[in-house]
């Protein structure tokens, strides 16, 4: 999929299917992630991170660059760009924001805004080892193909909740990251 193909399918007025998230009892803590689409001209890859192994929460989990919205941020776009710069050294001027997917609520109490942006590949990631173990790319076509998505249902109280998984080579993308990619898949391929 090229940038032009992505844009022509991303910009529409229809309401795509949205995967269920965690039903928070109160408004979640605002957070933003960047879904960085690395634009190679003839194809798009998604740049993902592996969280540092020493972290207390979600060590080693695959994620997007992102985090809580700070008081100094002007909004979700600003927070996503700031976090990507802090975590992997992605300069904001290398990102062309396309838009945002519906917010996704997590069991940990966050309401995450997935910001989608094209990334100029002419940058070398600088990893903040306090937060990130590594950064790697996955072809967007692989992530959007729902034949590659696995769903496991878990139960909490009297409710059932899906947990999404997307295997890629030796890695397993799961949880909120996989759910947001699944929402992107519904958005592009309804």
């Amino acid at each position: 999929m090229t940038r032009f193909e992505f844009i022509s399918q991303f910009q529409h007025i229809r309401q795509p299917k949205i995967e269920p998230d965690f039903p928070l009892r109160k408004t979640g803590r605002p957070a933003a992630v960047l879904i960085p689409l690395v634009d190679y001209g003839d194809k798009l890859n998604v740049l993902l991170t592996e969280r540092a192994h020493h972290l207390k929460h979600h060590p080693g989990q695959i994620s997007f660059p992102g985090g809580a919205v700070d008081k100094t941020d002007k909004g979700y776009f600003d927070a996503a760009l700031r976090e990507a710069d802090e975590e992997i050294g992605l300069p904001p001027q290398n990102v062309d924001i396309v838009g945002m997917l519906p917010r996704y609520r997590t069991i940990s109490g966050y309401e995450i805004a997935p910001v989608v942006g094209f990334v100029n590949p002419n940058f070398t990631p600088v990893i903040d080892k306090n937060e990130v173990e590594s950064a790697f790319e996955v072809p967007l076509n692989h992530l959007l193909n729902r034949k590659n998505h696995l769903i496991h249902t878990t139960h909490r109280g009297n409710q059932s909740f899906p947990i999404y998984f997307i295997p890629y080579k030796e890695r397993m993308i799961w949880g909120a990251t996989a759910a947001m990619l699944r929402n992107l898949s519904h958005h592009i391929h309804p």
Side-chain angles (χ1 to χ4, degrees):
M1 174 174 288
T2 66
R3 179 181 183 138
F4 176 77
E5 291 167 334
F6 183 88
I7 289 286
S8 68
Q9 294 175 41
F10 186 78
Q11 305 294 352
H12 56 74
I13 58 172
R14 67 182 178 270
Q15 178 63 46
K17 176 182 183 214
I18 298 171
E19 295 298 335
D21 57 5
F22 190 77
L24 298 174
R25 293 181 186 184
K26 60 181 182 173
T27 302
R29 183 171 175 206
V33 297
L34 178 64
I35 300 179
L37 305 175
V38 184
D39 184 3
Y40 290 104
D42 62 340
K43 68 174 182 171
L44 297 171
N45 284 352
V46 177
L47 180 60
L48 294 164
T49 63
E50 176 186 5
R51 291 174 51 85
H53 294 184
H54 67 268
L55 293 174
K56 182 178 179 180
H57 300 287
H58 310 292
Q61 190 169 340
I62 306 304
S63 62
F64 298 115
V69 176
D70 287 348
K71 292 180 182 180
T72 58
D73 294 324
K74 295 175 185 158
Y76 293 117
F77 292 175
D78 199 39
L81 292 173
R82 175 186 52 76
E83 287 283 350
D85 190 20
E86 290 174 6
E87 291 181 11
I88 59 172
L90 176 57
Q93 61 269 21
N94 273 43
V95 182
D96 183 15
I97 302 268
V98 178
M100 191 169 68
L101 295 174
R103 282 175 264 175
Y104 189 84
R105 299 169 300 176
T106 67
I107 193 168
S108 55
Y110 284 93
E111 190 167 328
I112 303 171
V115 176
V116 180
F118 292 113
V119 173
N120 180 328
N122 298 325
F123 93 101
T124 302
V126 178
I127 305 297
D128 177 353
K129 289 294 187 178
N130 290 321
E131 296 188 56
V132 175
E133 188 70 28
S134 66
F136 63 98
E137 295 181 19
V138 178
L140 177 63
N141 286 336
H142 177 84
L143 297 170
L144 294 183
N145 185 344
R146 288 192 290 277
K147 290 180 181 175
N148 296 325
H149 300 182
L150 308 173
I151 304 170
H152 173 75
T153 303
T154 188
H155 304 279
R156 188 176 186 127
N158 294 334
Q159 292 185 307
S160 298
F161 298 98
I163 301 173
Y164 304 97
F165 298 85
I166 306 172
Y168 180 71
K169 295 185 178 180
E170 74 283 354
R171 301 190 189 263
M172 183 61 75
I173 304 157
W174 67 282
T177 302
M180 287 182 266
L181 286 167
R182 192 163 166 87
N183 282 341
L184 179 60
S185 173
H186 290 307
H187 195 83
I188 298 299
H189 302 298

